[in-house]
Amino acid sequence: MAYPHLGKSIAQLSVLMQSGTLDPVELAEESLDAIRSHQDQAIFISLLEERAREEAVAASKRLRDGRSRGLLDGIPIAWKDLFAIRGLPTTAGSAVLAREAPAAKDADVVEALAAAGMVSVGRVNMSEFAFSGLGLNPHYGTPLNPVSTDVERVPGGSSSGSAVAVASGLVPVSIGTDTGGSVRIPSAFNGLVGYKASRGRYSMDGVFPLATSLDSLGPLCRSVQDAIWVDAAMRRLTAPVIVHANLKDISLVVPETVVMDDIEDGVRQAFDSAIERLQQAGVRVRRAAFPTFNGVFELMAKHGPMVTAEAYALHYHRLSGPDAAEMDRRVVARTSLGEKIGLIDYIALLKGRERLIEEFATATAPNEFIAYPTVAHVAPPLAPLRDDDDLFVKTNGKTLRNTLIGNFLDCCGVSLPCGAGDGGMPVGFLLSAKRGQDEQLLAAALAVEQVVFPRV
């Protein structure tokens, strides 16, 4: 069955609905029908059919009455399975939380986008408890990367279903979380735009945590413009305030430390070609060593990963009880490592992190952005990772390596598609800025997007 309006960006759909060419009810029904009939039934964990229809009908009436709530009115959206949705338990991709009581209210950001008129069609799959960059889930199945044309490949995680839902054209946007790369990695693997906002930019009320010192939120979508519109609505603004940057005013620094180590040739070529195009367009680019990046990994090697310590504190009662037998063995193994991280180590991590953030703040000029490949490789084949736990751990670590730096140093970042690598799979171009510089980052991303990934 043909779905003529699916696979379009928010901006494209908004024009159609605001002009009266497309009705929100028609679009919602297209989306729901496409989800139900899609060959990959591991993408969505639950559909919100009744809610979606009610919200679409309300949006339709507002548009007919000339009372539109703005650019997002009537736009379908999917939510990662750790956002509270009233009337449903918040399962976070797990089987054990399915027994929990239903949420009494929506998460704050769900409420905010509902207030903007968006139509929630369902909750999407994820790595259990958001604790993997690859996206495998033994409970609800693993969504397959829809871009792959040779073998079944991982979707990226932990916001796996979010990326696949958008890349498959089922919804134009999905909201994910990012603790070590969980928005930017799946966006890179699926050829999407993924925006990880500064920690604290949005309310985290009603969002199941992984590591509260690192957790952040953001949209996975088809363009930077779409991300800007959603960002504004998540902060309950009636319109975005981002000003389009001038390419000739943008300065980038490309790190020569850590992020280029053991990188696939195809990824390097796609990234370097994007940098060359940017320079030709007038963007200033320099390359520099970033010893702070080494410092992040040295600190974790000495005291343990902060994410593991905080995840263990959150789940220790599950790990020591019968729930552990119902959890993903890989999540259990990784989370259990947090038992070895004592209070002295954790305090050392906090102090060391503060020092590295201060050090990092002096490594770039005030209006300079950092650019490097989102992931050092393209989406890997699924089967070997499903069958070999040692390979899974090694690949997961490498997948998270480039992005977790931004979480540890409290950055904001946007992953943009910049070409193709091995197997014709998408490559991500990560543009990052210091915490709180989201407006500047989004303005720069809006300007460089058309150069980094020219659409033909």
Side-chain angles (χ1 to χ4, degrees):
M1 181 177 177
Y3 301 105
H5 302 106
L6 301 189
K8 296 183 183 297
S9 69
I10 291 175
Q12 290 171 313
L13 294 171
S14 181
V15 168
L16 294 174
M17 285 195 287
Q18 296 293 327
S19 66
T21 305
L22 174 63
D23 189 276
V25 174
E26 179 186 358
L27 182 58
E29 292 297 345
E30 273 192 34
S31 182
L32 290 169
D33 188 60
I35 294 165
R36 287 191 301 264
S37 60
H38 197 275
Q39 61 182 1
D40 189 349
Q41 287 296 301
I43 302 172
F44 278 78
I45 286 180
S46 58
L47 282 184
L48 306 171
E49 296 192 51
E50 183 177 349
R51 174 174 179 153
R53 290 191 175 101
E54 289 177 355
E55 291 179 336
V57 167
S60 178
K61 185 177 188 304
R62 286 193 297 269
L63 290 170
R64 289 196 310 271
D65 292 346
R67 298 179 182 275
S68 169
R69 291 183 177 176
L71 298 168
L72 299 177
D73 210 356
I75 299 290
I77 186 170
W79 297 91
K80 189 175 182 178
D81 191 45
L82 43 59
F83 289 92
I85 302 290
R86 65 177 183 273
L88 295 177
T90 305
T91 50
S94 74
V96 297
L97 293 185
R99 298 187 289 268
E100 299 290 318
K105 62 185 290 292
D106 289 339
D108 279 359
V109 289
V110 177
E111 285 186 350
L113 292 188
M118 298 197 79
V119 176
S120 292
V121 298
R123 285 206 300 209
V124 285
N125 207 343
M126 56 180 285
S127 305
E128 184 178 31
F129 295 125
F131 210 15
S132 161
L134 297 175
L136 278 65
N137 189 303
H139 311 300
Y140 302 101
T142 299
L144 299 178
N145 191 309
V147 186
S148 180
T149 58
D150 50 9
V151 296
E152 292 183 346
R153 293 178 182 265
V154 302
S158 62
S159 306
S160 56
S162 292
V164 176
V166 177
S168 298
L170 302 176
V171 289
V173 61
S174 180
I175 308 300
T177 59
D178 192 310
T179 306
S182 291
V183 164
R184 293 160 293 159
I185 291 167
S187 295
F189 280 176
N190 290 270
L192 302 173
V193 170
Y195 164 49
K196 169 213 171 307
S198 290
R199 187 170 56 94
R201 185 168 175 85
Y202 314 123
S203 169
M204 299 295 288
D205 185 59
V207 183
F208 193 90
L210 172 59
T212 54
S213 297
L214 303 166
D215 291 344
S216 57
L217 309 179
L220 298 86
C221 48
R222 294 189 172 275
S223 72
V224 176
Q225 182 67 73
D226 287 0
I228 288 171
W229 288 358
V230 173
D231 165 69
M234 287 174 72
R235 293 182 295 131
R236 296 186 181 271
L237 300 178
T238 56
V241 294
I242 307 300
V243 177
H244 197 294
N246 187 318
L247 284 169
K248 292 181 172 56
D249 294 332
I250 295 174
S251 296
L252 304 181
V253 54
V254 178
E256 296 178 330
T257 309
V258 177
V259 294
M260 295 295 185
D261 293 350
D262 195 24
I263 193 170
E264 286 181 351
D265 289 343
V267 172
R268 181 183 290 277
Q269 290 168 9
F271 176 79
D272 286 347
S273 294
I275 288 292
E276 184 177 345
R277 292 193 297 273
L278 287 169
Q279 288 179 300
Q280 291 173 350
V283 174
R284 295 182 296 277
V285 178
R286 69 180 177 95
R287 296 177 185 266
F290 273 74
T292 304
F293 288 8
N294 275 330
V296 171
F297 293 97
E298 290 167 357
L299 188 67
M300 292 193 296
K302 184 175 182 179
H303 299 290
M306 181 178 291
V307 62
T308 306
E310 296 193 6
Y312 178 75
L314 177 66
H315 294 292
Y316 78 93
H317 61 288
R318 295 188 180 93
L319 298 172
S320 60
D323 284 352
E326 298 182 57
M327 293 168 59
D328 183 345
R329 68 183 187 277
R330 293 157 296 215
V331 171
V332 170
R334 187 179 178 198
T335 310
S336 296
L337 294 174
E339 186 176 10
K340 301 177 182 179
I341 304 173
L343 181 60
I344 293 175
D345 283 312
Y346 183 69
I347 292 175
L349 281 168
L350 294 177
K351 290 184 176 179
R353 185 189 188 197
E354 289 178 5
R355 172 179 57 80
L356 289 172
I357 289 173
E358 291 175 2
E359 182 181 295
F360 174 68
T362 65
T364 57
N367 296 313
E368 195 170 44
F369 303 96
I370 298 173
Y372 56 83
T374 310
V375 189
H377 54 86
V378 298
L382 171 61
L385 297 167
R386 191 166 44 203
D387 300 335
D388 186 336
D389 284 3
D390 290 338
L391 179 63
F392 178 95
V393 170
K394 180 181 179 181
T395 306
N396 187 56
K398 184 179 178 183
T399 300
L400 289 161
R401 184 195 68 195
N402 286 7
T403 51
L404 70 80
I405 294 170
N407 297 84
F408 198 86
L409 297 177
D410 226 2
C411 299
C412 49
V414 178
S415 181
L416 306 167
C418 68
D422 294 358
M425 295 301 294
V427 173
F429 181 106
L430 181 57
L431 191 68
S432 300
K434 286 169 279 194
R435 183 182 180 183
Q437 294 185 352
D438 295 73
E439 278 77 19
Q440 298 97 312
L441 173 70
L442 289 169
L446 189 63
V448 305
E449 178 184 23
Q450 60 189 327
V451 179
V452 167
F453 190 55
R455 300 180 187 274
V456 294

